[in-house]
Amino acid sequence: MFIGKLTIALAAVFAVFATIVYFYVGRGHRRLMLWGRRGYYIFTFFACAAAALLMYAFLTNDFRIDYVYSYSSIGDGLAYNVAGFWGGQQGTFLLWLAMGSVIGLWLVRHAQDDDHAGMSIFYFMLIQIFLLIVLLVKSPFALVPGLPAGMVPPDGRGLHPLLQDPWMVIHPPIVFAGFASAAVPFALALGALTLNRYKEWAPRAQPWVLFTVITLGTGLIMGGYWAYKVLGWGGYWAWDPVENSIIIPWFIGLALMHGLLIERREGSLRKSNLALSILAFVLIMFGTFLTRSGVLADFSVHSFVDLGLNAYLVFFMILFIGLGIFWLSYRYKSIRVP
């Protein structure tokens, strides 16, 4: 589907443009703020348009598209056709991107003429570029291989039977909303460390940490109940690696939520909170790698097989870990706390 691939490509172009502009805004070139905001708005439009096009393809049973053919069928019904959107890797990455682009509007809106916010958006955009590269490499709009021109398969393979459960219809969007929101404290922490300015970061990060804790916690409850009801594990949902990839960042986020309360009240724990903000998102990236690299495909029904994305996942995971370690170690002595 050419128009779907085009929207992702255009989203990537304007994402790179906004990233470059906000880097210079963070370096003090405030006159470029308007251009960065415009670039981000256009990126968000195309990211959401790509998600809307893929959802439309599922709703209209466009089985020419390999991703729709693999995770949907006419007999599944409307709810599970919708759930097919996030039934596989490409769809969940696109869902993550669309949610992240919408959440990032908050950062852009509160940027105004603030160098700190500009640098934070720069780091936030690096995450969106990672998602876009994945979607460009493995497009959710690729056609069924070997399909003759003009031919549409009469039906698709359908969603995995174990995933055809009401909890799986609403569980992934809630989890990925948490993944997308965890990028905000991560970006704010790196922005604060880069500019060595820490007054603004805690009050801005706190509501997003709370949102992340709530969404990931809700996703854990839903996923745990699904594992108990469907998989017949007697409630031992902790055996499932996907649930573990959620609960570990959730623990970190819970600690960070309390740490930010103390920092805002007393000014202490700033170093710990900065580290926890970075660690929470890095652990989400690590969990993403574990569940999407094919390493755990035999251990969980909603882990994924390797699509050839391992090199990209490892590269960006190392990049984000490296940025966190570098800035924390570089600024460690200059962070003044009671």
Side-chain angles (χ1 to χ4, degrees):
M1 188 177 181
F2 173 76
I3 189 170
K5 293 181 178 180
L6 180 63
T7 54
I8 293 176
L10 290 172
V13 169
F14 285 99
V16 171
F17 172 78
T19 303
I20 295 172
V21 171
Y22 274 113
F23 173 78
Y24 283 102
V25 170
R27 297 293 299 273
H29 299 273
R30 298 181 178 180
R31 65 184 183 278
L32 297 175
M33 182 72 75
L34 180 60
W35 287 104
R37 188 180 298 119
R38 288 172 176 171
Y40 188 90
Y41 290 158
I42 299 173
F43 149 70
T44 301
F45 170 79
F46 283 117
C48 293
L53 284 171
L54 184 60
M55 181 60 74
Y56 179 77
F58 272 98
L59 293 176
T60 57
N61 296 317
D62 191 351
F63 298 125
R64 298 173 302 164
I65 300 174
D66 188 43
Y67 186 75
V68 177
Y69 174 79
S70 299
Y71 295 100
S72 178
S73 71
I74 296 173
D76 284 349
L78 178 61
Y80 297 129
N81 284 340
V82 171
F85 184 107
W86 42 82
Q89 296 216 45
Q90 298 97 315
T92 52
F93 279 121
L94 182 54
L95 179 68
W96 190 349
L97 174 72
M99 287 183 166
S101 67
V102 173
I103 286 173
L105 292 172
W106 179 88
L107 278 173
V108 172
R109 180 182 176 186
H110 287 79
Q112 298 177 359
D113 295 327
D114 188 346
D115 297 344
H116 174 262
M119 188 58 71
S120 297
I121 297 172
F122 164 73
Y123 287 115
F124 183 83
M125 289 305 298
L126 291 181
I127 299 167
Q128 312 313 310
I129 288 175
F130 151 67
L131 296 171
L132 283 162
I133 288 175
V134 169
L135 291 168
L136 288 171
V137 173
K138 291 292 182 181
S139 174
F141 296 101
L143 299 180
V144 174
L147 185 69
M151 180 180 175
V152 180
D155 202 356
R157 296 174 184 168
L159 193 64
H160 194 292
L162 290 177
L163 299 180
Q164 293 187 23
D165 182 88
W167 293 106
M168 286 296 102
V169 177
I170 56 177
H171 168 260
I174 292 175
V175 169
F176 279 97
F179 284 4
S181 63
V184 177
F186 170 81
L188 290 171
L190 286 181
L193 287 164
T194 302
L195 299 179
N196 206 23
R197 286 173 48 188
Y198 309 102
K199 182 179 179 180
E200 303 93 343
W201 100 272
R204 289 178 178 173
Q206 190 173 19
W208 290 105
V209 172
L210 178 61
F211 180 80
T212 301
V213 168
I214 291 173
T215 50
L216 293 184
T218 304
L220 282 166
I221 293 170
M222 291 181 175
Y225 183 74
W226 167 80
Y228 177 83
K229 185 177 75 169
V230 176
L231 298 184
W233 287 351
Y236 293 101
W237 59 270
W239 291 0
D240 189 83
V242 174
E243 302 304 331
N244 277 283
S245 70
I246 301 171
I247 199 170
I248 302 303
W250 182 77
F251 281 138
I252 301 298
L254 200 62
L256 175 60
M257 184 177 70
H258 290 80
L260 287 173
L261 289 172
I262 296 173
E263 180 177 347
R264 292 192 66 181
R265 186 180 66 189
E266 301 178 2
S268 57
L269 290 184
R270 180 169 294 160
K271 294 177 181 178
S272 299
N273 290 336
L274 289 166
L276 289 173
S277 295
I278 295 169
L279 181 61
F281 184 75
V282 166
L283 286 172
I284 286 174
M285 287 293 300
F286 180 62
T288 300
F289 166 73
L290 285 180
T291 56
R292 295 170 187 276
S293 61
V295 174
L296 302 175
D298 295 332
F299 295 91
S300 172
V301 70
H302 61 316
S303 282
F304 300 100
V305 297
D306 178 20
L307 288 183
L309 299 172
N310 290 3
Y312 302 96
L313 294 172
V314 170
F315 173 78
F316 279 97
M317 186 170 61
I318 292 174
L319 173 65
F320 296 136
I321 292 172
L323 285 170
I325 292 175
F326 171 77
W327 283 116
L328 280 171
S329 58
Y330 185 72
R331 298 294 191 194
Y332 190 80
K333 293 183 178 180
S334 63
I335 301 174
R336 303 295 180 184
V337 292

